[in-house]
Amino acid sequence: MARKFSLQAYVPAHVSDWVTAEAARCQTSRSEWVGSMLTDLYGGQELRTASQKQMDLMARRLVWLSVAVDGLLAGSRDPDLREQVHAAYHRKLKRMALGESE
């Protein structure tokens, strides 16, 4: 069994109450509960970093695609096509903001 070390922190009363309640709900001590939370938080850091890199790549690709599509629309034979697509996009955004499904 690994040796355990003491770590002390001062927190506001509401945080202490929350930790106490959560530890009781999990049927564990406050110390074990805080330790598991810190372990999970630290252990998940690599996943968060990888996810952020993937999100950055996706954002760059989406910018590329939107610029490319807008360029194609601007060069279309139909001079109104670009404005029609933009209007449809804004209608869809409004529906999404209202929580409407497709």
Side-chain angles (χ1 to χ4, degrees):
M1 183 172 179
R3 184 172 177 216
K4 301 201 181 214
F5 296 91
S6 175
L7 178 67
Q8 185 174 355
Y10 294 95
V11 296
H14 70 280
V15 173
S16 176
D17 293 344
W18 176 65
V19 168
T20 300
E22 286 300 306
R25 187 181 63 78
C26 295
Q27 298 177 343
T28 186
S29 70
R30 290 183 303 173
S31 179
E32 287 175 314
W33 189 86
V34 169
S36 68
M37 291 295 289
L38 291 174
T39 301
D40 290 349
L41 180 64
Y42 181 75
Q45 186 63 38
E46 295 84 16
L47 293 175
R48 285 188 293 280
T49 300
S51 294
Q52 186 61 49
K53 287 180 182 177
Q54 196 64 15
M55 289 174 55
D56 292 344
L57 177 62
M58 289 174 58
R60 287 193 302 273
R61 286 181 178 169
L62 286 173
V63 168
W64 165 254
L65 288 172
S66 64
V67 170
V69 168
D70 196 52
L72 290 171
L73 289 171
S76 172
R77 291 183 188 167
D78 182 353
D80 297 327
L81 182 60
R82 184 171 182 262
E83 287 77 23
Q84 292 171 6
V85 170
H86 279 254
Y89 170 71
H90 289 291
R91 285 192 303 273
K92 183 155 184 99
L93 282 181
K94 286 180 185 176
R95 284 196 303 269
M96 288 171 65
L98 295 173
E100 296 178 8
S101 61
E102 303 200 16

